[in-house]
Amino acid sequence: MSAPRYGIWAPVGGNFGPLDTQEEPIDASYERSRSLILAAERLGYVTTLVAQHIANPRSLELEQLETWTASAAFAEATEKIEIIAAIKPLLFHPAVLAKMALGIDAISHGRFAINLISAWFRPEMERTNIPFPPHDERYRYSGEWLRIVKALWSGERVNFEGEYFKIADLSLRPTSIAQPHPRIYLGGASEPAQILAAEQADIYFINGQPIEDVRQVIKQVLSRPRCLRRATPTLPQPVRFGLSAFVIARPTDAEAQAELQRLTELQKKEEHLKLSVAKGVDPDAVMFRLFAKNPAVGGNGGTAAGLVGSYDTVATRIAAFVDAGIDTFMLQFNPFAQEMTRFAEEIMPRVRHLQPLQRA
C-alpha cells in the first residue's frame, strides 16, 4: 500500500456542508482560500483543488471566486503544494488555455495541474449564450480539446483538424516545467467520463461513495484502453484514482455521529439552495443520481465516502480505500481550519502507522 496524498478543496464558493454556521460564516474570498491553502501546506497536505463556476450554482446572490486568476496567485503564494485548477473546456479555446496553464506552471515551478470537467450546470452556459451540447457530445469535445492541450504543452508543432477545432502550425514556448506535462485530473461519473479518463487522464476523481462502489468504479476504468503519448510512444503509466470526501473525525464514533447529525440538520435548513442547484443540472449528469442514492453532508459525495467516526475508524477506512486503489484524497471540512488541523494531527499519523501493518 503506497502512502496516500491528502489535499483540500479550496472554499471558492463559500463553505462545505452547511453554508452558514455559527462556527464558520460564509466566506468565498481570495484571502480566506489563500490562508487555508498556506495552512494546509504547513500541515502536510500536498495538493489543493480550485473548482470552476462563473457564478455560484446555489444562488446568484452568493460570491464565487474566479479559478484561474486565483490559481496563479496561489501558485505565487505557496512553495510546495500542488495547485489544481478546474477547467470546463466549453469556456476556453484549447490554445488559449494551454498558454495560460503554462504560465501558472512556470509561476509554480512545475506544481500546477488541471481538473477537466465537462460541465453540468446548464444555466451558467444559457445565461452567457455559450453553446451547451448534449452530455455525450461534451465528452467528445473535451477529448479533442485535451489532445490539443497536451500536444501544445509538450512543445509539439501542432497541425490539427477535428470535429470542433482547427489548429495550423502552432507551438508554444516555453514548454512545461512539469514533465511530461502538467498533471491531468478528470472528474465525471458517466461512462464517457470513464472512457476519457482511461484514455488521457493521469488521475480520475471519484465522488464520495461507499467503498464497494468505489472498487467497482476503479475496476471499470482500469478495464478500458489507455492512449499512448505521441511524443514518447512508450507504454503509458496506468491511470490513478482520487476520492472526494467530507471528513468528520472525533475521539469516539458516537461524537462523530452526533456531529454528522448536527450538520445534517443545519444543511436541511438550506434546502432552497440545493433545489436551486437541482434546477440547473443536466438530467444526463450521472453524478447527481449518485448523490440522490447516497445522501450526504458536503459537496461531491461528501460524507457518503464514510470518513465519519473516531480517529481510528477514519484512519482504518482511509487505509481500506488506499488498498482498493485510491491514491489521492481531496477533503472538505467544517469548520475548515479547525478540522483540517485535527485531521493532520490525528488521522495522518494513524494511517502511516497502519501502512506497515497492512504490508506485513
Side-chain angles (χ1 to χ4, degrees):
M1 182 176 73
S2 60
R5 304 167 69 241
Y6 301 109
I8 65 165
W9 284 78
V12 294
N15 297 334
F16 296 99
L19 190 60
D20 192 1
T21 66
Q22 184 176 357
E23 300 88 354
E24 192 141 76
I26 302 172
D27 186 354
S29 68
Y30 168 75
E31 289 76 12
R32 181 196 182 199
S33 283
R34 179 183 183 275
S35 175
L36 288 171
I37 291 169
L38 286 170
E41 186 175 59
R42 291 192 296 270
L43 288 166
Y45 294 85
V46 299
T47 186
T48 184
L49 175 57
V50 187
Q52 183 176 65
H53 288 292
I54 294 174
N56 196 307
R58 290 174 289 194
S59 170
L60 290 177
E61 304 306 313
L62 296 173
E63 295 181 356
Q64 181 75 34
L65 188 63
E66 198 284 312
T67 305
W68 284 73
T69 49
S71 293
F74 296 147
E76 173 64 25
T78 54
E79 296 179 357
K80 297 181 293 184
I81 198 167
E82 177 187 52
I83 309 296
I84 310 170
I87 175 65
K88 297 175 182 176
L90 294 172
L91 300 181
F92 290 92
H93 188 280
V96 175
L97 187 282
K99 188 64 176 177
M100 291 168 59
L102 287 172
I104 306 178
D105 171 75
I107 293 168
S108 68
H109 302 287
R111 293 181 290 115
F112 183 65
I114 66 167
N115 179 39
L116 188 146
I117 48 177
S118 293
W120 53 266
F121 190 52
R122 185 184 299 273
E124 185 172 56
M125 304 300 171
E126 291 177 342
R127 289 167 181 157
T128 51
N129 202 32
I130 296 172
F132 190 68
H135 179 275
D136 289 5
E137 184 180 353
R138 293 200 301 276
Y139 279 95
R140 293 199 304 274
Y141 182 99
S142 292
E144 190 171 298
W145 183 98
L146 188 53
R147 287 195 294 274
I148 294 168
V149 168
K150 290 169 72 174
L152 290 170
W153 279 347
S154 300
E156 296 179 30
R157 185 175 293 276
V158 177
N159 286 280
F160 180 94
E161 186 166 356
E163 184 179 357
Y164 303 103
F165 300 106
K166 184 176 181 179
I167 307 291
D169 197 30
L170 178 66
S171 61
L172 300 180
R173 296 293 184 275
T175 56
S176 65
I177 295 172
Q179 289 298 314
H181 51 66
R183 187 175 283 146
I184 297 165
Y185 295 78
L186 190 141
S190 65
E191 183 178 12
Q194 291 185 6
I195 291 170
L196 183 56
E199 288 178 346
Q200 298 200 56
D202 297 302
I203 298 180
Y204 177 53
F205 264 137
I206 301 172
N207 288 312
Q209 51 194 290
I211 190 167
E212 297 81 8
D213 296 340
V214 169
R215 286 195 183 100
Q216 184 62 29
V217 170
I218 291 173
K219 181 180 178 181
Q220 289 170 348
V221 175
L222 290 177
S223 71
R224 301 183 186 282
R226 194 93 166 112
C227 283
L228 296 175
R229 292 200 302 266
R230 287 180 59 195
T232 54
T234 57
L235 288 175
Q237 293 294 315
V239 65
R240 292 148 57 195
F241 297 90
L243 181 72
S244 179
F246 186 107
V247 179
I248 303 176
R250 294 292 184 273
T252 67
D253 287 329
E255 289 173 274
Q257 290 299 323
E259 177 64 4
L260 173 61
Q261 184 61 34
R262 185 183 79 89
L263 293 177
T264 299
E265 293 304 317
L266 288 172
Q267 193 167 268
K268 285 179 180 177
K269 295 179 181 179
E270 299 172 351
E271 189 70 17
H272 61 290
L273 298 176
K274 182 179 178 181
L275 292 174
S276 176
V277 173
K279 290 177 182 177
V281 171
D282 178 355
D284 291 326
V286 175
M287 69 175 180
F288 286 90
R289 299 176 211 162
L290 296 176
F291 298 162
K293 174 185 171 184
N294 302 305
V297 166
N300 288 82
T303 54
L307 301 189
V308 177
S310 70
Y311 302 147
D312 288 334
T313 295
V314 172
T316 300
R317 288 175 181 167
I318 287 174
F321 274 118
V322 174
D323 191 54
I326 295 298
D327 168 85
T328 302
F329 293 84
M330 197 60 66
L331 304 175
Q332 304 167 6
F333 304 94
N334 192 322
F336 209 114
Q338 173 186 313
E339 296 306 317
M340 174 178 71
T341 302
R342 187 199 298 265
F343 183 92
E345 293 176 349
E346 300 290 351
I347 308 302
M348 289 185 190
R350 282 173 165 82
V351 176
R352 285 195 295 269
H353 176 71
L354 287 171
Q355 286 181 287
L357 296 178
Q358 289 205 343
R359 281 197 292 269

